[in-house]
Amino acid sequence: MSVKIVEPEHHFIEEEPYYHATGDEVSLFTAAYRNRLPILLKGPTGCGKSRFVDYMAWRLRRPLITVACHEDMTATDLVGRFLIVGGNTVWEDGPLARAVRCGGLCYLDEIVEARKDTTVVIHPLADDRRILPMEKLGQLLLAPPEFSLIISYNPGYQSVMKDLKQSTRQRFVALEFDYPPEAVEIDIVRHESGVDPETARALVTFARLTRNLKGSGLEEGASTRLLVHAGKLIQSGIMPPSACTAAIAQVLTDDPEMLTAVQALSATLF
Amino acid sequence: MSIPLEDPPLPLDFLEERLEALLEAALSSRRTCSGPVHQLARCCRADQEQILAWVEMLARTNPELAFQFAQHAPDATQWLDMTGMRQWLGVAFDRYDQEGLHAALRVVKDPQSFAQQRAPEPGSLFLATIVHCLEKVLTGLGGRPLKIEIGEQIYTDTETLFLPSRLARFPDLRQNERLYRCVAAGLWAQTRYGTFFPELSQRLSAFPDPERAGALYYTLENHRLAALLRRRFPGLGRDIGALTRTPPWPASWQEASRALEEASATPETSWRWLEWGHAASEWPETPWHQGVLMMQRVDCAMQQRLQKQRHLFRRMVGKMLDKHPARITMPGLSDPSLLTFEPKPDGLTFDFNLDGQPLTPPESLEHLVRDIVQDLGQIPPEYLEAAGPGGYDLDADSSNTELEVWQGVYHEEGAFLYDEWDCHRQDYRKGWCVLRELPVTPSDEPFVQETLTRYAGLVRHIRRSFEMLRGGEQRLKKQDRGDEVDWDALVEALVEARSGGEMSNRLFQRIERQQRDVATLILVDMSGSTKGWVNDAIRASVVLLSTALEVLQDRYAIYGFSGMTRKRCEFMRIKPFTDAYSVDVERRIANIRPMEYTRMGVFIRHAIHLLETVEARIRLLIILSDGKPEDYDGYRGEYSLEDTRKALIEARQRDIHPFCITIDQEAQAYLPRLYGPSRFVVLPSVDLLPLKISEIYRKITT
Ligand SMILES: Nc1ncnc2c1ncn2[C@@H]1O[C@H](COP(=O)(O)OP(=O)(O)OP(=O)(O)O)[C@@H](O)[C@H]1O
Ligand SMILES: [Mg+2]
């Protein structure tokens, strides 16, 4: 086994990622990028946001630096910090600073997971100043035109704490993502998992049935991602009902009654 | 073939009068017969009459036994057919004769175990066992929400599916369960794919024998739907094929059969073949599992629904347009043609456009449009006509409570539906309580200032002692990462390194905020039992507790609750989590007034819902009350305690800690059962409440 190591600055996506556009998101993104406007992607989990960013990075030929945001992340983690190496203090750039320096795309995934005081460090970078203050260094990084900031968030969360602050969100151009239309979703499932069109259609219909249950006992319906997973299992020889149970039903819920209902729905199709 | 019609159920006031007369000896001021009346009202006419006859017979033997029977018999019909009911009653009589009242009551109170012991046919499956799961399957299949109820016949009135109370066609439970699904899906398809349209009964009446014509139309429709289900839901189609038998159609009907099986067939296709063949000598038959047509029921449900939908639609569209800022700047927007709907491929969802601009409607409106289109195939243009200069909402008569409850289905204007635990059935009653959040009107009474003055010493003490509890900032030194260099550590490390030792890498310092991270929801009993000085003490406690919470900087919310019956549970907003403490909040605290009854479970459930939207390490639910959960419509005693207990369990399952502070001296008897041994405080006197409350809070949260 060999593991390939790439520095983020050199993380150019060389092969065209498979992305099936569902609207005018590609031209909107491109226009925003050309105008140096940061971009906010909203949408439920597993509907293709990350894949879209991969695709855009490839199209624009810029390196892509992705940061999965979490609760314990501090501004320092994004911007950079001093380290001690061999008795000397050395500055190390954080991912945000690295992206600015190399004029790449910086994708902050699930931005609401980060604490509010962390989120504000992106403010000067996300408005027309486009600067990243590096307080510890006493320097300002001016972003080159190629740099772009992309953040994602899922507005479906119930928690008030997971709302994006107005002062943050009002800096961005927002692209809304949702599960793709039926025909497109069928194509995606076919392409990503290799199943035949019949199976892909049945999987997509099944997903739609589970999405009807959102709010009536399910927090979310099955995402495109789960369909791809189920499709892959089916391609490896697993019977469709078992694949749907393992890759979809069990993933969506622990409630035994709900589980039976979701399985019954898959049984209407397979 | 004729269509059997059942008699309508007996009216509520008739039942009430009758039961009151029969059970008089068992009733008191604390026990009315409203519980049994409401139970009985849900039964069909035949069951009602039989049960009343039995109650009469029992009342002559023992009033208490009769009362309990009246209470439980309606539920028992879920598990027992009439023969079973008779046997159950017989066993109760035997026990009464041989062992006395208590033994008999045990039998009467638990019809379900009796039903189970009766050892029905092998594989026999009760609808009650799978009804929740079946409801979810129907929701998943999509379209207008449908209820499931027990019926003597299999049919739907377009809102409820009536299914047999039990199925025992197969020796295997699982097969019977699948059969239930097939039957339900068949009825669902009738409501989903257009079998019932508004002019149906009128068009049928043009035939010489409308009932017979209706029956034939129903057979043809089901044939079309069976083919449609086979195409769209192959798994379901397989099950239907394996578990049911459809008699072959006469040779003369073969062409009709093929035409109805085409993917392009619609209800109009069925209609054409009805016209073609209604005079034929031979007809195809509707198999058992497809049920029967109950045209009157369908008509009745559909007419009512259409009227309500139309009314609600105009109201909601009116509201949406009012909110839309474009309205003000663009004259002529009341022109209905500017609001348009573009159906999406599934036919039941729409893109809304206002004056050419895409519009995101509230989810409730989307559901309403879906339901209307399911009935009418489109939004009729007259629905969009502005009702007058005032816009869409001409009908100002909104006092119609039934309409309001119905709106709850569309979650309009903050109506929440909550389940309630029924300890007799050992099951939840789904969507049983209708809860609304209402603001408390601010009062001008200077109650808060007076309280702060009266308890000035205590307030000073609270400020001081709670200040110390407040989480502050802490500087963490010698860390391996941090915002700044820890110079002391660095010097130390350099010295160490010079003298040949290994240099530490813990050379940083950082500030860490030590947050208490507590969110508290205070739920204040505003029921009628908290009158006069009790009310004063409760208000004062709320004032003092908020003082403490302000100092602590914990996130908190204050709500009151009160209500009257399950359809009017009121959750009174005093301070939501998102509001800061303010003069307005003070004026609302001053107006915490005793109101009506305490239907505890539903309020706890709503508090859970609110707390779940707040992110905090510790989430607390503090209930300030006289403790006795009680409401008007039979919510008392065992039933109310069990529902409250269940709601508290639900809270704990969600990592919310409930705590009760009460002044009810009798509470010792039941609070441990509700809150556990340590999660409540009973204060010996009301005056102590304001004095102790902050202290109690401190204890709970440190
Ligand atoms: N439009 C699309 N084109 C191609 N693939 C897609 C598309 N939408 C979804 N997918 C498939 O779904 C999977 C999940 O998508 P992705 O990881 O981009 O979701 P996401 O929106 O970033 O979810 P999360 O919010 O959970 O991170 C992808 O790996 C891909 O297989
Ligand atoms: Mg992602």
Side-chain angles (χ1 to χ4, degrees):
Chain A
M1 190 182 82
S2 82
V3 178
K4 202 169 142 200
I5 297 171
V6 230
E7 289 293 314
E9 288 80 353
H10 306 300
H11 183 219
F12 284 92
I13 295 171
E14 270 138 33
E15 233 173 275
E16 172 173 356
Y18 169 73
Y19 179 74
H20 200 314
T22 60
D24 51 2
E25 68 270 30
V26 175
S27 47
L28 270 172
F29 188 109
T30 314
Y33 179 78
R34 302 256 178 266
N35 285 289
R36 296 166 209 177
L37 299 171
I39 293 147
L40 160 66
L41 309 177
K42 352 189 224 181
T45 179
C47 68
K49 299 186 293 293
S50 299
R51 179 62 64 90
F52 174 61
V53 176
D54 279 358
Y55 173 76
M56 289 314 296
W58 169 82
R59 239 181 108 101
L60 299 167
R61 296 175 212 293
R62 300 310 313 159
L64 174 63
I65 299 182
T66 300
V67 183
C69 302
H70 56 86
E71 236 179 308
D72 294 329
M73 198 173 73
T74 62
T76 312
D77 292 327
L78 279 178
V79 177
R81 59 164 59 90
F82 280 110
L83 296 174
I84 302 279
V85 178
N88 298 313
T89 54
V90 190
W91 174 260
E92 191 197 49
D93 271 345
L96 190 54
R98 294 175 84 150
V100 173
R101 280 191 213 276
C102 73
L105 306 186
C106 185
Y107 179 35
L108 303 180
D109 204 353
E110 287 292 352
I111 184 82
V112 284
E113 293 294 338
R115 288 169 25 169
K116 299 242 150 102
D117 50 329
T118 308
T119 319
V120 295
V121 304
I122 65 172
H123 280 189
L125 198 54
D127 54 34
D128 54 1
R129 291 171 285 172
R130 288 177 55 95
I131 48 175
L132 181 63
M134 317 259 276
E135 278 171 39
K136 306 275 153 49
L137 276 181
Q139 294 177 347
L140 295 176
L141 276 190
L142 304 185
E146 294 82 12
F147 168 80
S148 176
L149 180 64
I150 301 135
I151 66 177
S152 79
Y153 115 105
N154 178 353
Y157 285 129
Q158 298 254 296
S159 163
V160 292
M161 303 302 287
K162 297 214 163 148
D163 265 348
L164 209 51
K165 269 168 43 158
Q166 280 299 324
S167 60
T168 306
R169 58 193 299 159
Q170 292 212 9
R171 290 177 145 76
F172 289 81
V173 171
L175 300 186
E176 186 175 15
F177 280 70
D178 203 344
Y179 306 120
E182 190 160 356
V184 175
E185 199 166 24
I186 292 173
D187 269 357
I188 295 172
V189 174
R190 273 178 63 188
H191 185 278
E192 292 280 290
S193 67
V195 292
D196 60 83
E198 273 310 291
T199 312
R201 170 177 301 278
L203 280 170
V204 168
T205 309
F206 175 43
R208 273 150 207 267
L209 302 186
T210 65
R211 288 169 200 166
N212 285 332
L213 281 165
K214 177 171 180 182
S216 310
L218 276 191
E219 226 165 288
E220 283 286 354
S223 65
T224 312
R225 175 188 295 133
L226 295 190
L227 302 186
V228 172
H229 290 178
K232 285 181 174 161
L233 295 185
I234 293 171
Q235 266 319 82
S236 310
I238 306 286
M239 293 305 286
S242 317
C244 286
T245 301
I248 301 175
Q250 294 283 3
V251 178
L252 291 180
T253 179
D254 294 324
D255 171 25
E257 206 168 71
M258 199 64 200
L259 206 56
T260 319
V262 174
Q263 282 168 331
L265 286 174
S266 91
T268 64
L269 296 162
F270 293 104
Chain B
M1 198 173 102
S2 80
I3 304 166
L5 273 184
E6 294 166 29
D7 288 324
L10 295 165
L12 213 61
D13 45 356
F14 174 85
L15 289 174
E16 189 156 45
E17 215 174 283
R18 189 90 182 89
L19 279 179
E20 215 134 47
L22 290 175
L23 299 172
E24 199 183 8
L27 301 177
S28 67
S29 61
R30 292 180 44 225
R31 186 206 245 177
T32 70
C33 63
S34 90
V37 167
H38 284 91
Q39 296 275 351
L40 199 53
R42 295 183 302 148
C43 295
C44 68
R45 173 70 166 263
D47 288 1
Q48 287 178 328
E49 282 175 351
Q50 184 59 70
I51 290 171
L52 281 175
W54 281 329
V55 170
E56 188 174 356
M57 184 172 77
L58 277 167
R60 285 197 290 269
T61 310
N62 181 297
E64 179 62 23
L65 198 58
F67 179 85
Q68 293 296 345
F69 178 79
Q71 179 105 327
H72 294 281
D75 262 347
T77 56
Q78 283 186 58
W79 299 294
L80 297 166
D81 54 14
M82 275 300 140
T83 330
M85 293 279 284
R86 204 164 284 126
Q87 288 175 357
W88 172 50
L89 194 65
V91 172
F93 265 124
D94 285 350
R95 287 287 152 78
Y96 182 80
D97 292 343
Q98 288 155 18
E99 297 168 54
L101 180 61
H102 281 291
L105 285 178
R106 270 201 300 279
V107 176
V108 166
K109 284 181 180 173
D110 195 357
Q112 199 180 1
S113 350
F114 177 80
Q116 275 151 8
Q117 284 157 18
R118 229 176 115 232
E121 295 128 275
S124 156
L125 177 67
F126 288 103
L127 179 60
T129 320
I130 56 148
V131 65
H132 296 323
C133 181
L134 206 52
E135 275 170 350
K136 294 201 172 89
V137 173
L138 291 173
T139 312
L141 288 175
R144 183 192 321 126
L146 295 168
K147 293 193 290 279
I148 295 177
E149 268 175 40
I150 291 172
E152 298 277 297
Q153 315 236 24
I154 297 174
Y155 74 98
T156 176
D157 64 1
T158 71
E159 290 187 357
T160 304
L161 310 187
F162 293 87
L163 301 174
S165 63
R166 99 194 139 95
L167 280 183
R169 298 231 149 192
F170 298 97
D172 176 20
L173 271 178
R174 298 253 291 279
Q175 276 180 314
N176 286 320
E177 185 173 354
R178 274 158 59 203
L179 181 56
Y180 259 127
R181 271 182 217 143
C182 294
V183 175
L187 296 178
W188 165 81
Q190 295 169 12
T191 69
R192 174 69 177 77
Y193 298 112
T195 298
F196 307 110
F197 48 91
E199 316 83 51
L200 176 59
S201 70
Q202 197 199 333
R203 281 173 70 177
L204 281 173
S205 66
F207 285 89
D209 185 343
E211 272 191 21
R212 270 177 52 92
L216 180 56
Y217 170 74
Y218 189 76
T219 307
L220 299 172
E221 267 297 274
N222 278 306
H223 192 73
R224 174 180 77 90
L225 295 172
L228 185 151
L229 288 179
R230 275 197 301 277
R231 267 193 316 274
R232 298 210 181 172
F233 301 96
L236 186 67
R238 239 187 357 258
D239 273 353
I240 295 179
L243 301 173
T244 67
R245 218 187 55 79
T246 305
W249 281 23
S252 57
W253 285 86
Q254 286 309 316
E255 200 188 330
S257 162
R258 271 192 303 277
L260 290 165
E261 285 167 9
E262 300 261 334
S264 57
T266 64
E268 274 312 312
T269 318
S270 299
W271 193 262
R272 275 204 304 282
W273 288 100
L274 165 66
E275 284 173 333
W276 170 83
H278 75 276
S281 56
E282 234 184 343
W283 280 10
E285 278 173 52
T286 303
W288 161 86
H289 69 273
Q290 291 175 348
V292 295
L293 174 66
M294 293 277 199
M295 200 58 232
Q296 278 186 12
R297 302 271 164 99
V298 169
D299 257 349
C300 183
M302 194 139 85
Q303 294 313 332
Q304 277 182 19
R305 182 172 65 244
L306 286 174
Q307 219 180 342
K308 287 174 189 162
Q309 279 173 346
R310 180 194 167 112
H311 182 101
L312 206 57
F313 178 80
R314 297 165 71 95
R315 230 160 86 166
M316 286 165 93
V317 167
K319 239 190 213 165
M320 187 174 75
L321 293 187
D322 279 345
K323 258 191 245 152
H324 210 265
R327 180 122 211 228
I328 310 155
T329 50
M330 287 193 248
L333 252 193
S334 55
D335 179 353
S337 62
L338 291 176
L339 181 68
T340 56
F341 305 86
E342 200 62 46
K344 292 188 194 168
D346 67 356
L348 285 186
T349 48
F350 290 79
D351 286 324
F352 286 57
N353 280 289
L354 180 60
D355 198 33
Q357 293 295 312
L359 194 69
T360 316
E363 200 179 350
S364 47
L365 182 57
E366 273 182 324
H367 286 169
L368 183 61
V369 168
R370 171 197 71 192
D371 292 1
I372 295 175
V373 171
Q374 194 172 331
D375 276 326
L376 302 178
Q378 53 152 346
I379 299 285
E382 69 265 23
Y383 277 39
L384 282 164
E385 265 158 38
Y392 289 82
D393 184 17
L394 235 203
D395 195 323
D397 166 35
S398 53
S399 58
N400 186 339
T401 47
E402 198 207 346
L403 181 67
E404 277 172 16
V405 170
W406 197 77
Q407 283 175 358
V409 177
Y410 292 99
H411 285 271
E412 215 213 7
E413 297 171 328
F416 296 85
L417 296 180
Y418 284 102
D419 298 348
E420 183 165 287
W421 176 254
D422 182 338
C423 60
H424 305 304
R425 300 203 312 206
Q426 285 295 303
D427 197 353
Y428 286 100
R429 302 184 138 169
K430 295 279 163 178
W432 191 244
C433 299
V434 181
L435 179 144
R436 260 157 225 289
E437 266 193 33
L438 303 171
V440 172
T441 26
S443 134
D444 289 330
E445 184 193 352
F447 182 83
V448 172
Q449 278 60 43
E450 282 171 23
T451 307
L452 291 175
T453 321
R454 171 144 26 105
Y455 295 96
L458 182 60
V459 169
R460 264 199 306 280
H461 173 74
I462 290 176
R463 293 237 160 89
R464 243 190 345 265
S465 57
F466 278 75
E467 197 106 22
M468 298 191 309
L469 285 177
R470 185 162 70 197
E473 292 189 338
Q474 201 180 0
R475 186 174 292 272
L476 301 177
K477 304 198 87 171
K478 290 200 180 175
Q479 300 293 309
D480 59 356
R481 61 196 176 92
D483 307 318
E484 280 170 66
V485 174
D486 178 349
W487 293 106
D488 300 334
L490 183 60
V491 171
E492 228 173 82
L494 287 175
V495 171
E496 183 80 3
R498 291 273 148 76
S499 55
E502 198 182 326
M503 184 156 160
S504 160
N505 63 347
R506 307 182 70 85
L507 301 175
F508 298 92
Q509 50 180 330
R510 65 170 187 269
I511 309 270
E512 197 145 271
R513 200 164 303 145
Q514 304 247 297
Q515 273 180 342
R516 267 173 60 82
D517 209 7
V518 178
T520 301
L521 192 146
I522 304 162
L523 206 49
V524 185
D525 190 346
M526 292 170 79
S527 65
S529 51
T530 57
K531 291 222 168 67
W533 47 296
V534 178
N535 178 249
D536 283 348
I538 285 184
R539 285 190 294 161
S541 324
V542 173
V543 173
L544 293 166
L545 185 53
S546 351
T547 311
L549 287 163
E550 282 298 316
V551 178
L552 276 176
Q553 294 173 347
D554 282 359
R555 270 162 291 156
Y556 70 104
I558 310 172
Y559 287 88
F561 60 90
S562 162
M564 177 93 149
T565 77
R566 67 186 179 91
K567 293 205 170 155
R568 237 188 65 211
C569 305
E570 287 166 0
F571 210 72
M572 311 296 297
R573 204 181 307 130
I574 298 163
K575 175 189 175 299
F577 280 108
T578 44
D579 279 12
Y581 187 81
S582 65
V583 179
D584 254 5
V585 171
E586 291 187 348
R587 290 174 59 207
R588 285 197 286 265
I589 293 178
N591 215 13
I592 299 181
R593 291 282 174 226
M595 291 165 82
E596 292 162 293
Y597 292 82
T598 319
R599 195 181 200 98
M600 207 62 172
V602 57
F603 298 115
I604 294 174
R605 291 189 179 97
H606 190 61
I608 294 174
H609 168 74
L610 294 176
L611 273 163
E612 279 201 304
T613 62
V614 185
E615 195 149 296
R617 206 161 52 79
I618 294 173
R619 288 178 295 190
L620 257 183
L621 170 60
I622 294 189
I623 298 167
L624 260 188
S625 153
D626 69 345
K628 266 186 222 123
E630 204 171 70
D631 193 5
Y632 183 73
D633 54 353
Y635 191 88
R636 62 170 70 79
E638 188 67 10
Y639 183 96
S640 65
L641 287 181
E642 280 300 307
D643 177 48
T644 309
R645 196 169 80 92
K646 200 75 179 179
L648 291 167
I649 292 173
E650 290 161 30
R652 280 179 221 114
Q653 279 168 351
R654 288 171 176 76
D655 270 339
I656 291 166
H657 308 280
F659 194 96
C660 179
I661 304 175
T662 182
I663 43 163
D664 173 24
Q665 297 313 304
E666 289 165 32
Q668 284 288 2
Y670 58 83
L671 281 187
R673 203 168 120 211
L674 298 183
Y675 291 87
S678 57
R679 292 298 166 84
F680 66 92
V681 173
V682 181
L683 291 174
S685 106
V686 187
D687 326 332
L688 287 176
L689 189 57
L691 301 178
K692 292 280 183 205
I693 188 158
S694 308
E695 201 48 34
I696 295 171
Y697 184 78
R698 194 176 70 80
K699 283 213 185 101
I700 315 174
T701 59
T702 47

